[in-house]
Amino acid sequence: LFQCSEKIKSLKSHYFLLQIFIYTIIVLDKIMLKDFYKMKKIISIFMLFCLSVSLFSQQVLNSKKEISEKLNFVPQYKVGDEGEGGGIVFYVSEEGFVVYDGMGGEKLCHYLEMSKSTLGASSWSPATGYANTFAGIGYGKFNTKKILDYYKEFNLTEENCAAYRCSVYSTEKAAAGEWFLPSKDELNEMYKTMSGTVVLDANDNQFWSSLDYDNLFAHFQNFSDGDLCGGDKAWRGYSVRAVRAF
């Protein structure tokens, strides 16, 4: 019903614009504006105006829909629950956060879940280089795509690339490609709520994030004390946990 209502509103707005356009032509004809080129210019300007109004209306409708989703959100999971993808929920946001997939797509999510076990130890990347990734919540998937694209000329393995290890991880409920190497802020949220669980089966208490520091170093977090540090990208001793947003 909501979608039908919005479509009707959209049709009404376009009908209203069409009426304005017709009345404008009638008025111009009445004032004897016969110059074809002037008429053509005026019509072009008016059509651009109509297009701008239509685009603005669509943006307003999208904003209303997003606000409605946020206001109507009822938490179905809490920290520690099994998530939609079969992982463990470690972050809940009632307001929601935008997840960027690295291919131009965006999605409003409310939860982050982590793989139930540590996936193993990996290097951050197979070689030096700066992928220019981001720190914030919602950027882990974006970063993972950037890293894979940046090092696509290399033979990526689970041992030489932490992002690749996460990208091929899957569960019975979530396919490979849905999981990613967490951003620095996402990893920190994991530390704040689930550090005790995470370190139980870790190869090392230090975990890679998907944020690179420069050509040689990337950010990792020590889950023993929460310290965020820069580590050599070639070092294969740091642990990896995959994350998924929903």
Side-chain angles (χ1 to χ4, degrees):
L1 288 175
F2 175 77
Q3 290 180 342
C4 290
S5 175
E6 294 300 332
K7 286 181 180 178
I8 291 170
K9 288 179 182 177
S10 179
L11 288 172
K12 284 183 177 179
S13 65
H14 283 80
Y15 177 69
F16 176 69
L17 289 173
L18 181 61
Q19 283 184 314
I20 293 176
F21 176 70
I22 293 171
Y23 291 151
T24 302
I25 297 299
I26 293 172
V27 170
L28 290 175
D29 184 64
K30 285 187 177 181
I31 63 174
M32 304 301 291
L33 184 59
K34 300 298 185 181
D35 189 319
F36 173 76
Y37 294 102
K38 287 184 180 179
M39 175 69 80
K40 185 178 179 182
K41 184 176 181 180
I42 290 172
I43 291 174
S44 298
I45 293 172
F46 183 75
M47 292 303 291
L48 286 173
F49 167 75
C50 291
L51 178 61
S52 299
V53 171
S54 179
L55 291 173
F56 175 75
S57 300
Q58 189 60 48
Q59 288 180 341
V60 170
L61 290 176
N62 290 339
S63 297
K64 285 182 177 179
K65 184 178 179 182
E66 186 175 324
I67 291 170
S68 176
E69 287 177 355
K70 289 181 179 180
L71 291 176
N72 295 328
F73 173 72
V74 178
Q76 298 178 7
Y77 301 88
K78 63 181 183 298
V79 170
D81 286 350
E82 180 174 302
E84 213 175 62
I88 303 172
V89 175
F90 68 89
Y91 178 72
V92 179
S93 170
E94 291 190 12
E95 183 182 39
F97 56 94
V98 177
V99 173
Y100 304 92
D101 65 7
M103 297 180 288
E106 300 178 6
K107 181 182 178 181
L108 182 68
C109 294
H110 293 275
Y111 306 97
L112 287 172
E113 60 180 322
M114 64 182 187
S115 55
K116 286 185 175 179
S117 59
T118 299
L119 304 188
S122 304
S123 301
W124 195 87
S125 62
T128 59
Y130 185 51
N132 192 24
T133 52
F134 298 95
I137 291 175
Y139 280 98
K141 193 167 188 177
F142 177 91
N143 292 347
T144 298
K145 180 69 166 60
K146 284 199 75 174
I147 295 166
L148 297 180
D149 286 347
Y150 188 86
Y151 294 102
K152 64 184 177 182
E153 302 301 325
F154 293 84
N155 179 29
L156 297 180
T157 68
E158 294 182 47
E159 288 72 34
N160 71 15
C161 183
Y164 179 79
R165 185 185 283 274
C166 292
S167 72
V168 298
Y169 175 71
S170 65
T171 65
E172 291 182 359
K173 296 181 178 180
E178 295 183 31
W179 299 85
F180 51 84
L181 186 64
S183 69
K184 181 175 74 70
D185 291 350
E186 290 167 348
L187 185 64
N188 191 47
E189 291 299 328
M190 186 191 299
Y191 166 75
K192 289 193 291 187
T193 59
M194 301 297 293
S195 59
T197 300
V198 169
V199 299
L200 289 177
D201 67 344
N203 306 75
D204 186 275
N205 289 344
Q206 295 161 322
F207 287 80
W208 283 122
S209 81
S210 56
L211 178 67
D212 51 355
Y213 185 77
D214 57 21
N215 286 343
L216 299 175
F217 297 95
H219 286 270
F220 70 89
Q221 187 161 11
N222 189 325
F223 271 50
S224 296
D225 54 21
D227 281 351
L228 290 160
C229 311
D232 187 338
K233 291 180 176 181
W235 176 245
R236 292 194 180 186
Y238 297 153
S239 299
V240 177
R241 277 260 179 169
V243 168
R244 180 179 177 272
F246 65 101

